[in-house]
Amino acid sequence: MTQQITERLRRKVEEELKRWDVPSASLCIVKDGETLMSCGCGLRDNAQAPADGRTLYQIASCTKAFTAAAAAILATEGKLDFDKPVLEYIPGFRLNDRYATENLTIRDFLSHRSGLPRHEYAWYGTGFGREELMRNLKDLPLSAPIRYRFQYSNFNYLIAGALIEELSGMKFEDFLSEKLLKPLGMERSKVYFADMYPEPNHAQAFDHTQEYTMEGIRQIDFYTSPAIDASQRVGDPTAAAGCVVSCAEDMAKWLKFLLNRGKVGEKQLIREDLIDLLFTPHADTGDGGAYAPQRSMTSYALGWQVYNFRGHRMLEHGGNINGFSSSTALLPDLDLGVFVSVNMNASLLADAIVQTVMDAFLKTEDTDWFERLYKANGDLFVSVKEFFAAFGGEAKQGTHPSHALAEYAGDYEAPGYRRMRILYQDERLTLDFNTFVVGLKHHHYDSFATEGTVGEMPPGLILTFGTSGAGEIVSVSATLGTEPGLNPIVFTKKTEEGSL
C-alpha cells in the first residue's frame, strides 16, 4: 500500500512539474519512525542535472521551526524561561513602545503576537547588520497592541535569534548547527547561504518568465544580503527567520525528531513538555479556508502553523525566498511527516504535494490539490497586484505634477529605514531604494507609480510626495506593508544642512 502511494506520487509530481513550469522538487515522507520516501524529481538546474534526495534547497521560513526548537534547547538546559521578558535577558533591548519593550517574551515573538508588523523593507536589501537592525527596532512603529493579534514579521525571529546569541554566547548559526543539526545527523544541511554554493549538488533559483505569472522558467540570482561577508563568517542578519539550507535526506531526520517528541537516539534533546509548547496554538490566524476549506481553526504556535485538517491536528510551515518555495508538515495522529521544496519563486506546488500526501494516508481522494492550488496561485498573483495598486486609487485623469520633475529628486530618510533616493535623468524619475532601482511614472497629482518590482511588491507601488507650507517638496511616503493599522512610511527630504 505504502509503495503504491509513493510510486504514484512520484509519477504525479513529475507530471505536475511540467504543468507548473517548475524545474524540480525535493520530497521526503516519514511515517512510524521510518523514511518512506527521500528523493528529488526533475532537474535541479533546469538543464541536465537531476535532483535527488541529497540536493540542497533553501528552505527559507521553514527555518522558523528550527529557531523555536533552538530556544527550547536553551529552556531544556535551564538557561531560558519562555515567559520572562526579553528585556531582562538583553538590557539594551528597545522597541517603539515602552510597555511592549518591558513585557514581551520569547513566547510572544516566536508566535508573532508582539504587535510588530513586517517592516520588510527596513531589513530586506538594506545592508544593515544584525546589531544595527536590533538598534533600529526603537524607530519602527508597532501596528497593534501586544498579544492583540497575529502579525507575521521576520523581525520577531531576528529578536529570537539575538536572544539565543545572548544566552548561549555563540553566533546563532553556530548554535543551530552545533546544538541541533549535528545531533540529528543533518550533515548535508547548511546555516550559511555561502556554504551551499561550492556544493555541486544544489538547486538553482528560478522564477517564471514574467513575475507574478504562472508560465515560463528563467534563472534568477540567489537571495543575498549586502551585510553578508562569507570571508568573515558573517551570515544573513535575519538568519533566525530563514537561513537553513537542506535536502530531503536531512529533513527526514528533522521530521522523525519532532514526531519522536524531541528525542534523538537515547537523548531527550528537548523536554517533551517543551515540544508540546512548540506545537500549542498561541494566536488565531483566521486564514485557513481561503484555498483549503478542509482546514479550520487556523492558528500559529511557536514556529508552526496549526490547523484542524479533516479532523486531525496538522502542523505546517511554509517558506519562500528568491527562487524557492517550501513546506514542512506533520500529522502527529498518523505519526506522519512531509517536507517538500521546489526551486521556483512564490509557488504553491509544494503545498499541493503536501496536501496530496496527507490525503493519501488519510485515504481521502475528494480533492485535486494540484488543480485547486494551481488556480489559487494564479489568483494570488492577481490579488497581490490589485492590493498594492489600490493604495493609489483610480488615477485622476488630466492631472499633472505640481513641480518640475527635477525638484522631486533627492535623498529621503525615515528612522529605521535606509534612505530612499529619487533620481532625475533624461526627463524621468527613478527610484533607488535598498537594492532595487525602478522607473517611476506619473500616477496623478504628486503621486508616482513604480514601473518594476520592489522586492516582493509588484509594479504599481504608489509613492506620494508632500510639500511644505511654502510649496517645497519635503517628503515622500509609501505603504510598505499590508497590516491593518500600519500607516504609510514617511521619508523626509534631506537638504545640504540635513533633513527638513
Side-chain angles (χ1 to χ4, degrees):
M1 174 63 179
T2 297
Q3 186 175 358
Q4 290 177 345
I5 290 174
T6 56
E7 289 179 354
R8 187 173 61 200
L9 176 66
R10 177 154 192 161
R11 290 195 300 269
K12 183 63 175 175
V13 171
E14 294 279 6
E15 292 173 7
E16 294 295 333
L17 287 172
K18 296 175 182 177
R19 184 163 81 102
W20 288 61
D21 276 342
V22 171
S24 72
S26 175
L27 166 64
C28 71
I29 302 172
V30 303
K31 189 172 188 330
D32 301 326
E34 300 295 329
T35 300
L36 305 184
M37 191 174 190
S38 174
C39 68
C41 300
L43 300 173
R44 55 182 169 83
D45 61 358
N46 198 38
Q48 301 178 34
D52 59 36
R54 293 175 60 81
T55 303
L56 294 172
Y57 292 72
Q58 293 184 351
I59 72 170
S61 285
C62 291
T63 298
K64 290 181 169 65
F66 286 86
T67 299
I73 289 174
L74 285 172
T76 298
E77 295 174 349
K79 298 176 182 178
L80 172 64
D81 183 339
F82 272 83
D83 293 313
K84 188 174 180 178
V86 168
L87 181 63
E88 295 188 30
Y89 293 113
I90 309 177
F93 174 66
R94 294 292 183 275
L95 292 173
N96 195 239
D97 179 276
R98 180 177 175 180
Y99 184 80
T101 299
E102 294 175 350
N103 289 277
L104 285 171
T105 67
I106 186 67
R107 185 197 293 253
D108 297 314
F109 291 112
L110 291 175
S111 59
H112 296 294
R113 62 181 193 184
S114 67
L116 266 172
R118 292 181 75 104
H119 283 301
E120 206 81 333
Y121 298 95
W123 66 268
Y124 187 73
T126 61
F128 295 153
R130 202 167 294 175
E131 292 181 359
E132 190 170 9
L133 289 175
M134 286 293 290
R135 289 195 299 269
N136 287 350
L137 284 167
K138 68 183 185 305
D139 296 318
L140 302 178
L142 275 62
S143 58
I146 72 170
R147 304 179 191 130
Y148 177 69
R149 67 168 172 247
F150 172 80
Q151 290 190 154
Y152 190 91
S153 174
N154 287 309
F155 271 106
N156 287 320
Y157 277 73
L158 167 79
I159 295 165
L163 179 58
I164 289 168
E165 290 187 332
E166 182 73 18
L167 294 180
S168 69
M170 301 169 66
K171 286 183 181 180
F172 169 79
E173 294 92 339
D174 296 340
F175 183 88
L176 196 63
S177 179
E178 293 298 322
K179 293 287 192 172
L180 193 55
L181 301 186
K182 286 185 179 179
L184 268 58
M186 298 177 66
E187 298 175 356
R188 286 279 295 161
S189 299
K190 316 294 179 185
V191 290
Y192 292 98
F193 292 144
D195 289 347
M196 179 182 77
Y197 309 140
E199 289 283 343
N201 189 5
H202 71 263
Q204 295 294 330
F206 293 91
D207 199 348
H208 290 302
T209 305
Q210 291 187 348
E211 291 174 310
Y212 295 94
T213 68
M214 294 290 291
E215 297 179 355
I217 300 174
R218 63 183 173 92
Q219 188 170 335
I220 61 174
D221 293 333
F222 290 110
Y223 164 78
T224 186
S225 164
I228 292 174
D229 186 345
S231 66
Q232 300 298 315
R233 301 303 281 173
V234 175
D236 186 80
T238 57
C243 72
V244 173
V245 176
S246 195
C247 62
E249 186 177 286
D250 275 7
M251 290 300 287
K253 299 171 184 176
W254 169 237
L255 296 172
K256 290 177 189 177
F257 169 70
L258 295 167
L259 291 168
N260 199 32
R261 298 180 56 74
K263 190 174 183 180
V264 55
E266 296 302 315
K267 183 171 183 179
Q268 193 71 46
L269 198 61
I270 298 175
R271 292 198 326 250
E272 287 195 30
D273 64 304
L274 292 173
I275 288 289
D276 290 338
L277 179 66
L278 298 182
F279 293 170
T280 297
H282 281 65
D284 176 29
T285 62
D287 61 355
Y291 58 78
Q294 292 81 357
R295 300 194 315 201
S296 62
M297 301 176 67
T298 59
S299 59
Y300 200 92
L302 306 183
W304 292 96
Q305 295 176 358
V306 186
Y307 315 110
N308 178 322
F309 182 70
R310 301 190 189 276
H312 297 268
R313 181 179 57 144
M314 177 172 169
L315 297 128
E316 186 270 339
H317 208 292
N320 284 282
I321 199 168
N322 299 25
F324 294 90
S325 303
S326 305
S327 178
T328 309
L330 303 168
L331 215 59
D333 289 358
L334 272 64
D335 200 8
L336 174 66
V338 186
F339 165 77
V340 181
S341 187
V342 299
N343 55 338
M344 175 55 66
N345 205 42
S347 175
L348 292 180
L349 178 57
D351 301 75
I353 297 170
V354 166
Q355 305 282 45
T356 300
V357 172
M358 295 302 183
D359 272 2
F361 282 92
L362 288 170
K363 300 178 182 178
T364 302
E365 297 183 354
D366 64 356
T367 304
D368 184 341
W369 290 108
F370 294 105
E371 184 62 36
R372 172 176 285 177
L373 295 191
Y374 185 87
K375 181 180 184 304
N377 214 150
D379 291 344
L380 176 65
F381 289 153
V382 172
S383 66
V384 169
K385 289 186 285 188
E386 290 178 345
F387 179 86
F388 283 101
F391 283 109
E394 187 174 346
K396 306 295 183 182
Q397 300 301 313
T399 65
H400 54 81
S402 63
H403 292 62
L405 290 184
E407 295 182 42
Y408 295 91
D411 285 352
Y412 296 77
E413 299 176 333
Y417 281 77
R418 186 172 178 264
R419 65 104 180 99
M420 183 178 282
R421 176 169 289 167
I422 306 297
L423 304 169
Y424 174 72
Q425 189 175 11
D426 298 329
E427 300 185 356
R428 67 192 305 267
L429 296 177
T430 300
L431 168 67
D432 178 346
F433 180 48
N434 295 354
T435 54
F436 312 106
V437 179
V438 297
L440 295 175
K441 62 181 179 181
H442 184 242
H443 181 66
H444 62 204
Y445 300 115
D446 283 333
S447 292
F448 294 77
T450 56
E451 295 181 308
T453 58
V454 177
E456 296 177 347
M457 293 183 289
L461 174 67
I462 302 297
L463 275 61
T464 299
F465 291 86
T467 58
S468 67
E472 299 175 327
I473 302 293
V474 295
S475 67
V476 60
S477 64
T479 299
L480 298 177
T482 62
E483 297 88 352
L486 178 65
N487 294 319
I489 305 299
V490 178
F491 294 76
T492 303
K493 192 173 187 180
K494 187 176 180 180
T495 64
E496 292 182 4
E497 294 76 24
S499 298
L500 289 171

